[in-house]
Amino acid sequence: MNVIVANTQQSQLSSLDIDIIKSISGVYEAGEIVEMFKSFFYSKMILDVTAIKHYNDLKTYELLISGLDPEKIIFLLPEGSNLCTSNFLSHLIKLGIYNFTTNLNGIKYLLKKPNTIKDVEHIVKMSGIEDSTELNTTVATVATKVESGSTIIGVKNITEHAGATTFIYMLKKELAIVYGQDKVVAIEIDKNDFQLFNDKNMVSCKQNEIGNIISQYNNADIILIDLNGSVDDSFCGEVLCLIEPSTLKLNKAVRRNRNCFSKLVGKKVVLNQSLLLNNDVVDFESEAAIKVFYNLPPLDERKRNAIINDFLTKLGLFNKNTKNNSNKIFGLFRR
């Protein structure tokens, strides 16, 4: 069964011949729509975007998919509006939104055959915002650039002590080998753990200093940021959400915030220090109602790990031919 959220395009949607379990009409904040439907079971949502306040603002869509699965939403756009441009649509695609149309026939088609990245990559090519090969590699894409031209990737612990600090250190080591030592920088917010690695390109700062620190490293190709408890990650092109999937850590996270996993829908979730096998990961995804981007086992940070190389390849920062001489253990784990 499907749901419809309508506003100015309600008359068009009223003639849509599909099974409907719920239909609402009006103008709502993105957060209100999330609250109404995050625990509501439905097959697809047909969303007239004019029903969302500030529907011309990309941050509205970011908020929407932070609580709802974008794969279950078909976005009905006003035909001829500035939303129907390759530039705006490319930004939606970068958020992981692939199903949009301006008419009923498009809705019917997407109900039967939802778009994948392959179906919409031509829009990205038209806009020139991002190279389509890189987009295919990263799926939701990690290559959002700040003005300096750096790729900024935030890392956030979702469960307590999920290993963001060491994880960033291992990423930086592999990236520096390929990009160059001074082309990869790591920054931590409101902590001083990085100083223990004795690396001049791993620095610490306060939350209110992050903008200035980023600008100081405007020649870096990649900036990794340990977000720690920071609620502001707007300066990041992508955020990796780390979960240590032990029973103790998971239960602690849920007890602290019972909606902690629902906020991860559409995010890049990485299981870190994980002993889960393939079938265990599938069960975890089902129970938590989220998708896992990568499943990382416990690793020795003192050694080079081929699985880190594989992770960076999937993230789009390495190509498949990037050389790595460490043992090929990553084939044993789900990616």
Side-chain angles (χ1 to χ4, degrees):
M1 300 293 281
N2 306 291
V3 300
I4 290 179
V5 180
N7 185 35
T8 62
Q9 303 183 94
Q10 184 175 13
S11 59
Q12 183 181 182
L13 290 171
S14 63
S15 60
L16 188 62
D17 186 20
I18 60 172
D19 292 329
I20 299 172
I21 190 172
K22 183 173 183 176
S23 179
I24 61 173
S25 179
V27 179
Y28 307 90
E29 297 281 357
E32 291 180 289
I33 296 175
V34 170
E35 287 300 315
M36 279 189 279
F37 292 102
K38 68 180 182 181
S39 301
F40 191 87
F41 178 78
Y42 58 91
S43 298
K44 294 288 183 183
M45 173 186 292
I46 317 302
L47 177 56
D48 170 6
V49 299
T50 66
I52 318 171
K53 287 183 181 177
H54 313 299
Y55 66 84
N56 288 303
D57 188 343
L58 285 165
K59 290 189 179 297
T60 297
Y61 297 87
E62 292 179 8
L63 176 58
L64 191 71
I65 65 172
S66 71
L68 299 176
D69 185 352
E71 293 184 5
K72 296 178 69 174
I73 305 175
I74 297 174
F75 293 82
L76 181 61
L77 311 178
E79 191 164 9
S81 68
N82 60 358
L83 276 63
C84 301
T85 61
S86 60
N87 182 61
F88 190 88
L89 294 178
S90 291
H91 283 91
L92 291 186
I93 292 166
K94 288 167 65 179
L95 293 175
I97 295 172
Y98 307 146
N99 295 297
F100 39 77
T101 182
T102 60
N103 55 64
L104 295 186
N105 287 335
I107 293 174
K108 292 175 183 177
Y109 177 83
L110 292 172
L111 285 170
K112 294 178 181 177
K113 187 180 181 301
N115 283 335
T116 66
I117 185 61
K118 285 283 188 182
D119 298 310
V120 295
E121 65 178 350
H122 65 283
I123 298 173
V124 179
K125 290 180 181 179
M126 291 169 59
S127 72
I129 286 179
E130 183 154 24
D131 178 77
S132 62
T133 301
E134 185 178 7
L135 187 65
N136 278 327
T137 305
T138 62
V139 185
T141 194
V142 81
T144 299
K145 304 290 186 178
V146 293
E147 288 182 6
S148 66
S150 302
T151 297
I152 300 183
I153 303 170
V155 180
K156 178 180 293 186
N157 286 335
I158 302 303
T159 56
E160 192 176 47
H161 305 305
T165 301
T166 302
F167 176 61
I168 288 174
Y169 172 66
M170 290 189 288
L171 295 183
K172 183 186 179 298
K173 279 203 306 182
E174 289 300 318
L175 288 165
I177 290 170
V178 174
Y179 286 82
Q181 292 296 329
D182 292 329
K183 290 297 184 180
V184 184
V185 174
I187 303 169
E188 65 178 342
I189 298 175
D190 291 337
K191 286 181 72 176
N192 293 293
D193 291 339
F194 279 0
Q195 65 182 346
L196 301 175
F197 291 112
N198 296 315
D199 186 326
K200 67 182 179 68
N201 288 324
M202 297 185 72
V203 299
S204 306
C205 73
K206 300 294 184 182
Q207 173 68 57
N208 60 2
E209 299 171 337
I210 186 63
N212 291 332
I213 296 296
I214 289 174
S215 65
Q216 288 178 26
Y217 292 96
N218 60 358
N219 290 323
D221 288 334
I222 298 173
I223 298 176
L224 305 170
I225 299 182
D226 188 343
L227 293 165
N228 288 309
S230 174
V231 295
D232 181 15
D233 57 20
S234 60
F235 42 84
C236 299
E238 184 69 89
V239 175
L240 305 176
C241 302
L242 294 194
I243 293 176
E244 182 183 329
S246 66
T247 301
L248 177 65
K249 295 293 182 68
L250 293 174
N251 287 344
K252 274 189 175 181
V254 172
R255 182 169 293 184
R256 189 170 63 245
N257 180 0
R258 61 189 302 269
N259 297 317
C260 62
F261 294 135
S262 65
K263 295 179 179 180
L264 301 180
V265 174
K267 305 284 188 181
K268 275 193 170 60
V269 175
V270 177
L271 302 186
N272 193 35
Q273 306 174 115
S274 168
L275 297 175
L276 300 187
L277 300 177
N278 288 7
N279 58 326
D280 300 319
V281 175
V282 172
D283 291 341
F284 174 81
E285 289 179 323
S286 176
E287 292 174 11
I290 55 177
K291 287 291 184 182
V292 172
F293 178 74
Y294 206 104
N295 183 33
L296 278 168
L299 300 171
D300 185 348
E301 76 275 9
R302 293 168 296 182
K303 300 178 180 178
R304 293 189 65 193
N305 295 280
I307 196 168
I308 292 293
N309 182 285
D310 188 58
F311 173 81
L312 291 168
T313 299
K314 185 171 183 181
L315 199 59
L317 298 177
F318 284 176
N319 62 47
K320 292 182 180 180
N321 297 318
T322 300
K323 294 181 179 180
N324 188 300
N325 297 319
S326 52
N327 296 326
K328 295 183 178 179
I329 62 171
F330 55 82
L332 299 175
F333 299 93
R334 182 177 185 273
R335 298 184 284 281

